[in-house]
Amino acid sequence: MKRYPPVISGFPHMIHGADYNPEQWLKWKDEIWKEDIRLAKKAGMNSLSVGIFAWSMLEPEEGEFHFEWLDEVMDLLAENGMKAVLATPSAARPNWLAEKYPEVLRMNDQRVRNLFGGRHNHCMSSPAYREKVTIINTKLAQRYKDHPALGMWHVSNEISGDCHCPLCQQNFRIWLKKKYGTLDALNEAWWTTFWSHRYTRWEHIESPTQNWMGERDVHGLKLDWLRFTTDQHIDFYRVETAPLKAITPHIPCTANLMADHEGIDYYAYAKELDVVSWDNYPCWRGDEKGDTPIAIHAAFCHDLMYGLKRRPWLLMESSPSCTNWQPVAKLHRPNNLLRQSVQAVAHGADSVQYFQFRKSRGSCEKFHGAVVSHEGTEKTRVYKDVCQVGDALAQMDDIVGTVKDGKVALVFDYQNNWALQDMRGALQERTNYRGEMEKHYASLWKKQLPVEIIDQSCDFSGYKVVIAPMNYMVRGDFAKRVEEYVAAGGTFVTTYLTGYVDDTDLCFRHGFPGPLRQVLGIWAEELDSLYPEDENAILWNGKSYRAHSLCELIHPESAQTLGTYGSDFYQGMAALTVNHFGKGKAYYIAARTDEDFLDDFYAFLLKETDAEGVLGDAAYQGVSVQKRTDGQHEYLFLMNFTAEEKQICIDGQTHTLESRGVKIVTR
Ligand code: GLA
Ligand code: ZN
């Protein structure tokens, strides 16, 4: 049996909930609160996330606490058998706190202190902020530790960003001293002799700036700043959760992530979380052109969230209707909310939660989609859509905790992404690691594969194929583990721009792909960057595929050439190779291609490695089939991302999916 216990212990259901801010409706509470709970329950919702951004209502003046309103909300939830996803309020703070302790506000890279306002605007180093957060979190934990509604802690909200204040600079220097020990080691790792940037005193080290105002050219410094910032967030999370873990050790903690956010190494951060959760806001079109590209992006994000801990996660937010910050706040077409929700479950979610339960009357989110609109009743189309999701989730208790059990892993590495974003040369901003990653992913998605997305530090065991496109930075013991994995029979795939730099962004000496040279059996001598209108070709298997943007000039050493370049001065040189290494194989794709090449290449590879998707060879346009399993049963999620009716044949049985329809088949 491969099944994780439910996130909330003793609550073996799909969590169905929403962000809820009853404190905004205190004046109308008699009219609204009970009605909200009635509406939530009627829609099959079993939880609400409360307390997010509620600090000024919990502690309106320093040391003056008001939990009465939250007591009432918690009691209402408990009386109705619902669970609270209870937030710590640190993502926004009361005015008094910023006024009295200005250090809590962030300083930007230009060394300008922010004003009070907005949210997510706090310094992670500030002792005052740490103390105030500890006090309020302790009080929350003490007050609700035995409350039957308490299901989970929701720490802060969508953490992101950095702070360049003097306290953070000081912590950065401490962090660097710990990492490097001596300035000599740091100078070497950062290659600071370049442009006379050698450091002779720790106090000279300053965080990087985005423009010419300060240091922006020492890549090792920039990478370490991002690593430090990740560690700052981790450290702050530990401060936040210390009282929660001490007082309520049985209650899981999460923080809601953003799969498109690139500023924090989520693989490192996720180690701290008891469960990963994230906020998904796809820009569905819903028209006859179909939603396939949007579905693929959402699927990638979901699989990334699964891969962070290689286990089920929670969909902490999604919009039940339009999303107010998108360029076009389009409504969900019929069936779309259910499809969006089932898609998350298909990729490993054990919940469907929304932002937001009730639309606020004022400020910037008053027109964001919500379960309950300003009209306030159950008559709305959106409310009925939510009921439809509630009905579906109620049938899914068996799926809670089941796993993907993927045989194919895609390596997406945050630190490699940072290094590639800084790389000068190649195509500057068009180097586009994330975009290329999603292109490889798209090919696998079309093959109905339960892909797992991992980073360089993750374990490869259990995977038949590990794909690591554009693995420019090779950090830690990644290369050694790739060698072991391939030697033991694994299949490894990588591409151009692999094995150029180490973890402080120093180029490998003795030829690229650096420490992966032996396992790949090639030497990459040069990289050609092409103008958008230029093209070359990869000739492989009797076909010619367009190659463009980046073409690497490689020399097979122990590898065999499978495909060659079609034109230019490197016509006939190897463009696709395979190296037999121990019991396994390592493939190298030397140039950027279009999806047609990747589709054919992965079709060949998956067949060869016996890692084919849920539907084998069958190709369905705009349809996705994903799988979760407990080791005994397989739950197949059939999803139609087109506006037309589709038929899918599984085990000899034909299933009809209506426009934007979904179906779950157990076998
Ligand atoms: C984010 C935040 C929410 C809300 C939504 C709106 O996900 O976490 O508080 O602002 O966006 O889409
Ligand atoms: Zn700071």
Side-chain angles (χ1 to χ4, degrees):
M1 284 282 272
K2 299 171 179 172
R3 185 195 285 276
Y4 286 94
V7 176
I8 302 177
S9 113
F11 199 72
H13 313 293
M14 285 287 163
I15 297 166
H16 188 204
D19 280 18
Y20 180 44
N21 294 100
E23 69 276 19
Q24 292 179 14
W25 300 93
L26 209 51
K27 189 172 152 195
W28 292 272
K29 83 179 173 63
D30 294 334
E31 181 195 330
I32 285 180
W33 288 6
K34 281 211 178 80
E35 176 64 357
D36 280 343
I37 301 292
R38 185 189 72 81
L39 288 169
K41 256 180 93 171
K42 189 163 182 234
M45 296 173 71
N46 53 23
S47 101
L48 287 168
S49 306
V50 292
I52 311 169
F53 312 121
W55 202 336
S56 72
M57 295 300 275
L58 293 170
E59 192 182 0
E61 288 298 339
E62 187 170 16
E64 181 191 322
F65 295 95
H66 288 279
F67 291 103
E68 318 79 53
W69 66 268
L70 187 54
D71 293 348
E72 224 178 297
V73 173
M74 293 290 280
D75 291 350
L76 262 177
L77 289 169
E79 281 158 25
N80 286 280
M82 295 174 74
K83 290 291 177 190
V85 175
L86 184 55
T88 67
S90 62
R93 63 220 49 82
N95 227 315
W96 61 259
L97 208 162
E99 186 196 16
K100 185 152 184 209
Y101 309 96
E103 67 168 48
V104 307
L105 297 175
R106 275 187 196 169
M107 201 174 258
N108 68 18
D109 70 316
Q110 310 289 299
R111 297 359 180 202
V112 177
R113 179 84 65 190
N114 288 352
L115 300 177
F116 173 80
R119 55 178 178 175
H120 309 147
N121 171 20
H122 62 268
C123 165
M124 284 82 75
S125 300
S126 159
Y129 206 56
R130 287 172 171 231
E131 188 197 330
K132 291 299 169 196
V133 162
T134 303
I135 293 171
I136 190 90
N137 291 7
T138 305
K139 289 207 179 272
L140 281 168
Q142 279 166 343
R143 193 157 187 109
Y144 300 111
K145 66 178 188 319
D146 298 319
H147 201 288
L150 181 63
M152 196 191 315
W153 291 109
H154 175 301
V155 175
S156 205
N157 190 68
E158 292 192 339
I159 56 124
S160 67
D162 55 6
C163 174
H164 298 256
C165 79
L167 291 167
C168 287
Q169 303 292 347
Q170 216 178 352
N171 281 340
F172 183 40
R173 291 173 200 130
I174 294 169
W175 186 93
L176 290 170
K177 263 188 211 161
K178 206 165 145 207
K179 176 166 180 181
Y180 292 106
T182 65
L183 277 175
D184 277 350
L186 176 142
N187 280 314
E188 190 180 319
W190 289 1
W191 208 252
T192 50
T193 311
F194 179 77
W195 288 356
S196 217
H197 288 192
R198 285 188 74 81
Y199 293 97
T200 49
R201 279 202 259 303
W202 291 100
E203 307 77 67
H204 291 169
I205 300 174
E206 279 282 337
S207 60
T209 60
Q210 274 158 31
N211 65 17
W212 288 107
M213 175 198 173
E215 187 62 85
R216 57 163 222 177
D217 299 301
V218 176
H219 288 176
L221 160 70
K222 293 171 80 182
L223 276 172
D224 276 339
W225 175 252
L226 287 160
R227 293 183 180 121
F228 163 74
T229 298
T230 295
D231 284 354
Q232 284 273 89
H233 285 296
I234 289 175
D235 201 46
F236 200 82
Y237 181 85
R238 288 183 184 153
V239 169
E240 286 237 30
T241 50
L244 313 179
K245 297 274 174 202
I247 301 164
T248 59
H250 55 297
I251 302 291
C253 298
T254 190
N256 52 339
L257 309 181
M258 300 167 279
D260 285 319
H261 182 71
E262 297 180 342
I264 297 171
D265 183 346
Y266 275 166
Y267 285 93
Y269 191 79
K271 290 201 174 82
E272 305 295 315
L273 310 178
D274 295 319
V275 59
V276 164
S277 65
W278 90 280
D279 304 340
N280 176 41
Y281 292 99
C283 298
W284 300 113
R285 299 295 295 265
D287 53 21
E288 59 293 337
K289 281 195 242 101
D291 278 322
T292 307
I294 295 132
I296 294 173
H297 176 66
F300 177 88
C301 294
H302 292 329
D303 284 346
L304 175 60
M305 292 299 120
Y306 185 93
L308 294 180
K309 285 183 103 64
R310 255 175 117 172
R311 58 182 289 176
W313 47 275
L314 302 177
L315 179 64
M316 188 55 83
E317 293 179 22
S318 58
S319 180
S321 176
C322 64
T323 300
N324 75 331
W325 49 263
Q326 288 171 347
V328 178
K330 194 166 185 173
L331 297 177
H332 286 310
R333 268 45 200 164
N335 284 342
N336 200 52
L337 181 64
L338 179 65
R339 187 183 64 179
Q340 167 180 289
S341 307
V342 167
Q343 189 194 19
V345 175
H347 288 268
D350 276 354
S351 79
V352 173
Q353 293 153 275
Y354 312 110
F355 181 87
Q356 53 192 329
F357 184 75
R358 177 181 278 275
K359 277 184 193 175
S360 46
R361 279 188 77 195
S363 293
C364 69
E365 288 183 332
K366 58 182 173 294
F367 296 120
H368 193 293
V371 178
V372 178
S373 72
H374 295 125
E375 191 261 355
T377 73
E378 64 214 69
K379 283 190 226 139
T380 63
R381 195 181 65 89
V382 171
Y383 182 81
K384 288 175 193 148
D385 277 359
V386 173
C387 293
Q388 198 189 5
V389 176
D391 288 343
L393 292 174
Q395 310 300 313
M396 294 188 204
D397 284 1
D398 284 355
I399 298 172
V400 173
T402 56
V403 299
K404 287 167 69 83
D405 202 21
K407 297 291 170 242
V408 175
L410 193 62
V411 177
F412 174 73
D413 193 274
Y414 283 85
Q415 300 188 30
N416 180 43
N417 190 28
W418 297 337
L420 276 164
Q421 282 167 349
D422 247 357
M423 184 199 179
R424 300 280 166 270
L427 290 169
Q428 316 294 359
E429 73 277 9
R430 284 193 298 127
T431 303
N432 196 12
Y433 176 59
R434 175 79 183 241
E436 280 305 299
M437 188 64 59
E438 295 201 20
K439 224 161 83 185
H440 284 257
Y441 180 83
S443 267
L444 303 168
W445 183 89
K446 284 189 261 174
K447 297 183 166 46
Q448 323 296 355
L449 277 174
V451 175
E452 297 188 10
I453 300 178
I454 60 174
D455 83 347
Q456 288 184 32
S457 69
C458 296
D459 180 12
F460 308 142
S461 59
Y463 298 124
K464 290 183 175 175
V465 182
V466 172
I467 303 166
M470 295 170 72
N471 214 116
Y472 172 72
M473 171 187 280
V474 175
R475 60 186 184 87
D477 60 354
F478 179 67
K480 190 173 138 264
R481 289 186 299 106
V482 170
E483 283 191 352
E484 286 164 5
Y485 167 74
V486 179
T491 298
F492 179 70
V493 181
T494 187
T495 70
Y496 57 92
L497 262 182
T498 283
Y500 280 48
V501 299
D502 68 9
D503 53 7
T504 60
D505 224 339
L506 296 181
C507 290
F508 290 115
R509 299 170 66 211
H510 313 302
F512 304 150
L516 291 168
R517 184 166 174 177
Q518 241 199 317
V519 67
L520 291 163
I522 58 139
W523 168 40
E525 186 185 353
E526 286 182 282
L527 177 70
D528 196 15
S529 305
L530 306 188
Y531 284 96
E533 58 278 15
D534 296 342
E535 60 180 74
N536 202 309
I538 295 186
L539 312 177
W540 173 55
N541 242 349
K543 268 170 105 173
S544 172
Y545 300 89
R546 187 170 84 106
H548 58 91
S549 309
L550 292 167
C551 296
E552 214 172 46
L553 278 53
I554 64 168
H555 305 279
E557 293 177 326
S558 53
Q560 236 174 287
T561 300
L562 300 177
T564 54
Y565 281 113
S567 63
D568 217 323
F569 71 94
Y570 39 98
Q571 182 179 18
M573 277 178 77
L576 175 68
T577 60
V578 61
N579 194 38
H580 294 256
F581 187 87
K583 292 193 194 133
K585 292 179 185 176
Y587 288 87
Y588 198 82
I589 306 168
R592 186 167 288 179
T593 63
D594 297 317
E595 268 184 43
D596 62 339
F597 171 81
L598 296 175
D599 289 350
D600 287 356
F601 176 72
Y602 286 123
F604 147 80
L605 194 79
L606 298 175
K607 201 166 203 128
E608 193 189 63
T609 52
D610 201 20
E612 281 175 303
V614 177
L615 299 182
D617 257 353
Y620 291 97
Q621 284 269 316
V623 165
S624 172
V625 180
Q626 283 288 321
K627 184 189 84 181
R628 288 179 70 170
T629 178
D630 61 2
Q632 284 179 326
H633 309 93
E634 287 190 343
Y635 302 94
L636 301 182
F637 299 81
L638 283 46
M639 298 167 275
N640 178 2
F641 290 101
T642 74
E644 306 138 28
E645 188 178 289
K646 289 275 182 177
Q647 302 207 310
I648 306 181
C649 182
I650 294 176
D651 302 334
Q653 205 188 329
T654 302
H655 301 273
T656 303
L657 297 180
E658 59 181 322
S659 162
R660 295 181 285 272
V662 292
K663 192 170 177 185
I664 300 174
V665 177
T666 308
R667 67 174 185 191

